[in-house]
Structure formats: C-alpha cells, structure tokens
Amino acid sequence: MPRTKGRVLLASSASACLSVVVLWITLRLDKVDLHFPLNYLADANIFLMRAKSIVEGNWIWWNPRLGMPFGADLRDFPMNITLDSALMWLLSRFTSNPALIVNLEWIIGIALTAALACYAMVRLDFSLTVAASSGAIFALLPYEYFRATLHLHSLYYAIPLVALAAIHVVRGKWANFRDVPAYAWIGSVVAGLTYAYTAFFAVFVLLAAGLLGFLKRRRFRYPLFAAALAGTVCATALVDLSPSLWFWARNGSNAHMVFKSPAETELYGLKIRYLITPVPDHPLPLFRAAEARLAEAKYPQDPNENEWGRLGTFGSVGFLCLLVFAIGAMVSPRFGDMRMADLLGPCAGLTLLCVLLATVGGFSDFFSVFVSPEIRCYARIFPFIGFFSIVAAATLLPPLDRRLTPVLRIAVLTAIAVLAGFDQAAPSRAHNHTEAVYQRDDDFVRLIETVLPSNSAVFQLPYTDFPNEIPLGKAFVNDSLRPYLHSLKYRWSWPAVSGTTSGEWNRLAAGLPVPDMLRSISQRGFSGLWLDQGGYDPGASPENAIAQELGAAPRLSEDGRFVFFDLRAYAAAL
C-alpha cells in the first residue's frame, strides 16, 4: 500500500482512536464521571492545582491564592512542562472543571503518543497496519496506567520522535544537516518543552546514538547530528526554565530545595525484573500468580516507583529479542544478515546503553555523585526502552502481515493491539475510585465558604514543607491542597515553598504555642483556620486547645477529619 501523507495521517489517527478505545474499555470509563479526578492522592493534586490555577487566569509560576500571607511563588520549584500546561490552558477555554481538564489531558496525551508512535513506525518502514497497531500498544504500556494522572508530567508523546531520530543516527540515514528531517528537530523541541526527565533522557539517548553511529561507521558527522539535536533539547529546556533561572540569579539559590541525595539513585533505579514482570491486575491467572509470587519475595526497597516500568507481554518479547540479538551479534556474524538486522542493531545498542545507565548500580550512580543528584529517578528512562522493545516485537509481525488480505490484516492486527492492551492494563493503579471522598471535601468547602467574606485568608495546620513534604499522621503527600481544589472564594496558606518568605513565616507561626499562633495569624490577616486532624498522631491534635482559646466550637467535615474555625471575633477582640 503506498504511504502517502494522507494514508499515514489516517493510520496515525486510527492508532490514536484505537488506544483511546482500549483505554476506555480497560478502565470502564463509561462507568466513570470524568468530572471527578481519576486520582485524588499525593502528586495528582499538584496537577489538579495547576489546572485550577490556569482556570483562574494564573500561570504555573505564581498563584496569589496559595502560600498566604505573601502568595505562592513557584519559580523555586521549576516543573514547567510548558506544552502540557498549554494544553491545560486550551482545555480551560471549554471547561472550568480542573478534574475534567486533567483527565482529558491524560487521555489526549495517550492518543497523541499513539499517533506519533505510529508515524515513527512508518518512518522505520513498517506497514501502515503494523505501525497503527504497534503505536497503540506503545501508548498503553503499563507505565501509563501506573503513572496516570498521578504523574501527569510523565506523558511520553515526545519519545517516538526522539527515539526515531536516534535510530536513524545509528543507521546512518543522513549524509549532511540538510538531510536531517523536520520531525527530528520538532521532537527535540517538544522534548525540551516537556518534563525535565524527558529532556534529560532524550539528550542521553541522542548522544548515545551519536556514539554508536561513530563506532559503526567511523564518521564524525553522526556525533555531530546527535549533538545538534541534543543541543536543541538543552537550549529549549533552558528557555523553558528561564523564569526560574532569572529568579535564582536575582535571589540566590534556596538551600531548602537541595534535598535530593545521590543514594536515592539506587532506590529509584531501573530493575530488569520489573521490565518483564506481568502487571498485578493481569486477566490470566497464570500471569497474575507469577507476579504475586515475585511480589512475595519482598526484595529490598520494593515496591517503589521502579515497579511502574513494565513492558507487558508484547514489549517483553521485543526486549528479549533485543538481548538475544545483541548477544548473538557478538558471537556470530550471521546475526548481521538477519531480516531487519539494520533496525534491531540500533535498537539493541540503544536499549543496552539505557539499561547500563539506569539500572540499579549502573552508571547513573557516577553521574549523581560527580555531576548532580537532581536526576535521581532513572527508572523514568523506561519509555525509551519501551519504544525500542515495541519496535523489536513489531519486526515479528511483517510475515503475518504479508500473508493476510487487507481486511483480515486490519482485523488481526487490531485484535493483537486489543489483546496487548488488556495484557498491559493495570486499572487499579490508574483510578483509585475516590469520587465519594472528593464529593465530601467539596461539600465541606462549600459549607465553610458561606462563613467568611470572599478573598478571606485561611491558615492551614499542620505545617508541612513544600515540595519536600514529609506527611504527618495518616495524611498523604499534598493533602493540604485539597481545600483549595474546591475553593472558589478563599486564599490558603499552603503550599508555600520552603525557604521562601511565605514558607518560613508559616513554619514559624505554626510552631508557636496555640495562643501565640492564633494571635500571630490573626494579626497577619488570616480570618479562618483549617485543621487537618489526619496530619496528627492520635491525641496530638490542637483542636481542643484552639477551641478553648477562641471560645467557639469549630465546623467539622462529615467524616470528622477536617476542622474549620472562624477567627474574626477573636481578631476583633485583639
């Protein structure tokens, strides 16, 4: 079938639609109200906060309704993800619901990943049907379910274009810079405008490709191509971070932001065991039992973020094919004569270098110690390994593809994508079913917003640091964002970045004895006090002491966790 631009666009669109359909079925989104967040815990609340901030007309660097009494200047916590935030802004033109914006962005991001992966597969000379099927499989790797809206910044739609450019550098496809196609430059710019980890690993993969290209052909042009693309990623990322860079140049560095340790590289490193382990929710009892058996071994420091990097059966087959090819090519020249060896070789080499960098005890330890520990979660290189593995697995499909009629070919490859989707799905990790909790919080915030005038400031207890929060009691990370996510009228004291004026003022005020604390926050202009009982050990909550000092009973949430005090009478008495 001729690969005209129209047919490639049609195949990419079909891949995007297929990925969304499989996602919809595996998560039973027909039973889900997307106006409620799929995740309402931990880091998911950061992205709900960003969406709400954009809905209110702010941008991602500053929020005047948070971090009271001085406002939340977030330039000290740079996680700009400008393209993702731009999509939030675009969606906010159609809805003011932050949860819906975040959910839609995740779904759109998956569809975009599938479309670009399909395009990349076509550029690697796969048929349109194989490309469409493989693109959907790549977009629905278990990584997407595990991270979901919990870490929305980990959408990996930039990966296919960067990985495709890296493969072509190793293959020696370009003779000069005029031959470098537009997709390679676009992919580099997109990587620089997304998550910092994506940009970092894109630079590594491109430079690794330049090294492999030089070793294969002994021509300096290939490292130059790779360096130019990697430089584009770096330059774009620097522009993206320029507000924070300018802020640090004027104000100096914040010592409270230096909280990452080189030792954490070992904790969050890649683990090959997880790459080829089935997902916990696997529909086949045999696979589910195998995963449970491995989990029962209770390996040290498990589970943590690196368990998210699973390839599923299709990707695992590809990963093992790359290992066999890499080992076989070292002992027998006949592997170089295999069908599609020109593709398997670059994928095997790049995968091997990614694993050597990111695995526990890998070369990432040296980078963390001698360069910087800021990049500590090396398991996040997974989407690159996932793409190379999906490409390797897809090389097994062309013989099947050629033997089928066009209609049967579409049916069979669609079935493979659907089966792979169910094999890779981890519904319980993508959706934690918190509609009731979300609604209960919304009801309570609506109730207390009838108490104080609009724009009143509310002080929150207990105080916790941001972003390096150590949750107290039974609270989760970022639980203190929950009232703001439902609030339409009030201003809130959390989050104030630790080490800033707001953060340190709140820390000191919260640490005072109850009478001094109430006097201090009232004189600073706070009209309300929000107390999270879940942030205290049993019997340690200051609720009774505060009520006694104020001489007034608080309002309680339905479950008794949240307490709200009106401070106006107390402030007037002062």
Side-chain angles (χ1 to χ4, degrees), residues 300-465:
Q301 300 179 333
D302 277 359
N304 66 55
E305 181 177 322
N306 48 31
E307 75 160 329
W308 302 345
R310 305 185 191 224
L311 288 165
T313 302
F314 191 82
S316 295
V317 169
F319 180 75
L320 295 175
C321 285
L322 292 177
L323 291 183
V324 170
F325 183 88
I327 296 171
M330 289 188 290
V331 299
S332 173
R334 287 185 294 179
F335 275 81
D337 299 326
M338 289 177 55
R339 182 181 57 84
M340 303 195 82
D342 186 46
L343 179 56
L344 290 173
C347 289
L350 291 168
T351 298
L352 179 60
L353 291 176
C354 287
V355 171
L356 289 175
L357 171 73
T359 190
V360 173
F363 287 97
S364 56
D365 287 357
F366 295 98
F367 186 90
S368 294
V369 170
F370 294 109
V371 182
S372 172
E374 286 300 307
I375 300 294
R376 56 178 174 174
C377 303
Y378 280 83
R380 297 181 187 179
I381 202 172
F382 168 82
F384 282 100
I385 296 174
F387 183 81
F388 299 135
S389 298
I390 295 299
V391 169
T395 61
L396 304 175
L397 297 179
L400 175 66
D401 188 43
R402 288 192 294 267
R403 289 186 175 91
L404 300 175
T405 63
V407 173
L408 196 55
R409 180 187 309 150
I410 293 173
V412 169
L413 291 172
T414 299
I416 290 174
V418 172
L419 291 174
F422 276 93
D423 169 78
Q424 297 169 179
S428 64
R429 308 305 176 96
H431 184 200
N432 48 37
H433 304 283
T434 52
E435 291 92 341
V437 177
Y438 189 82
Q439 186 61 59
R440 188 166 61 229
D441 286 357
D442 192 70
D443 292 341
F444 183 58
V445 172
R446 290 284 184 272
L447 172 65
I448 66 170
E449 287 202 325
T450 63
V451 177
L452 305 177
S454 293
N455 215 35
S456 295
V458 179
F459 192 77
Q460 293 172 259
L461 289 175
Y463 171 85
T464 54
D465 287 320

Side-chain angles (χ1 to χ4, degrees), residues 22-23 37 41 45 53 57 121 155 204 211 215 217 229 240 315 345 386 394 406 418 421 425 530 554 558 562 566 573:
V22 174
L23 179 73
L41 293 172
N45 290 341
S53 181
M121 299 289 284
L155 287 168
F204 172 79
L211 173 63
L215 293 176
R217 290 180 173 78
L229 293 172
D240 195 34
V418 172
W530 172 282
E558 181 182 337
F562 299 120
D566 183 348

Side-chain angles (χ1 to χ4, degrees), residues 266-271 273-274 277 291 294-308 310 360:
E266 290 284 290
L267 179 62
Y268 301 117
L270 184 77
K271 292 188 176 181
R273 167 169 49 86
Y274 277 130
T277 298
E291 194 279 336
L294 286 166
E296 288 171 1
K298 298 189 182 303
Y299 293 99
Q301 300 179 333
D302 277 359
N304 66 55
E305 181 177 322
N306 48 31
E307 75 160 329
W308 302 345
R310 305 185 191 224
V360 173

